[in-house]
Amino acid sequence: VIINHFDYQILPGGFLGVDIFFVISGFVITASLYKRRNKEVSLNSFLSSFYKRRLQRLLPILLVFIFVTSIAVYAFIPSPILTIRAGMSSILGLSNVYFIKRSLDYFDTSALLNPFTHTWSLAVEEQFYLLYPFITWFTGFSRNLKIGENNLIKVLLFFTTVSWFLYCFLNFSNQSLAYFLLPSRF
């Protein structure tokens, strides 16, 4: 990904590193949940613990990044409002939606000049984190039920297959939707 952003001609398929990151992130979060499985935990307790850990891990550095980058944006960009809005949308995990509404093409020059463009992938990850604990809970995986692992695998295979077909369809009709949205990145 870094080489691709440095010079896309050296490694033109480097953006696939984001997909690899999503897979690794999913694996890490599932391994973390596997270690914390417990039959006695209520759904509310499980969700509050899960989201607390995610917020503690993601939010502090994101806020520092947005603050420091926003200062630089105000210092160097003559009309900074749209750029700052992109940064603010990333706090809520919605920068991918913001970029779609702004009709941003990730591979366009305007995307290269926006210092918050890369937060779209964090937004997709945060949106995944909104759904994934429910999936692990209701499949029985996070509650350490005997059938939980098999149920989780079946549900993930279903959503992954649907996501792949959606990506293939959207890639021909609207590449920005295919690229930026969780349903096509699941």
Side-chain angles (χ1 to χ4, degrees), residues 113-148:
L113 298 176
N114 188 324
F116 297 109
T117 300
H118 67 281
T119 63
W120 76 269
S121 63
L122 181 61
V124 169
E125 185 179 10
E126 291 172 5
Q127 292 159 17
F128 178 79
Y129 286 159
L130 288 176
L131 296 175
Y132 197 59
F134 287 98
I135 293 171
T136 63
W137 176 265
F138 288 110
T139 60
F141 177 81
S142 59
R143 292 178 287 148
N144 203 17
L145 300 180
K146 286 183 181 181
I147 59 169

Side-chain angles (χ1 to χ4, degrees), residues 30-46:
T30 303
S32 171
L33 290 172
Y34 183 81
K35 291 177 186 176
R36 295 178 179 272
R37 298 184 318 165
N38 187 340
K39 290 182 182 180
E40 300 174 16
V41 176
S42 70
L43 177 60
N44 287 338
S45 174
F46 171 71

Side-chain angles (χ1 to χ4, degrees), residues 7-119:
D7 185 351
Y8 73 92
Q9 293 177 346
I10 295 172
L11 190 61
F15 58 88
L16 292 175
V18 174
D19 296 303
I20 293 168
F21 168 77
F22 285 153
V23 171
I24 291 170
S25 178
F27 176 80
V28 168
I29 202 70
T30 303
S32 171
L33 290 172
Y34 183 81
K35 291 177 186 176
R36 295 178 179 272
R37 298 184 318 165
N38 187 340
K39 290 182 182 180
E40 300 174 16
V41 176
S42 70
L43 177 60
N44 287 338
S45 174
F46 171 71
L47 291 176
S48 65
S49 173
F50 179 86
Y51 293 126
K52 180 182 175 187
R53 288 190 314 274
R54 297 291 73 72
L55 286 172
Q56 287 174 334
R57 184 176 73 80
L58 297 173
L59 197 56
I61 193 67
L62 178 63
L63 292 175
V64 169
F65 166 74
I66 291 169
F67 179 74
V68 170
T69 304
S70 294
I71 291 171
V73 164
Y74 274 112
F76 297 107
I77 296 179
S79 300
I81 298 303
L82 293 177
T83 303
I84 296 299
R85 285 183 186 161
M88 295 300 110
S89 68
S90 69
I91 293 173
L92 300 174
L94 295 171
S95 56
N96 60 337
V97 175
Y98 176 81
F99 291 131
I100 287 170
K101 287 186 177 188
R102 300 288 314 152
S103 300
L104 181 79
D105 178 353
Y106 186 80
F107 302 102
D108 189 44
T109 304
S110 63
L112 296 174
L113 298 176
N114 188 324
F116 297 109
T117 300
H118 67 281
T119 63

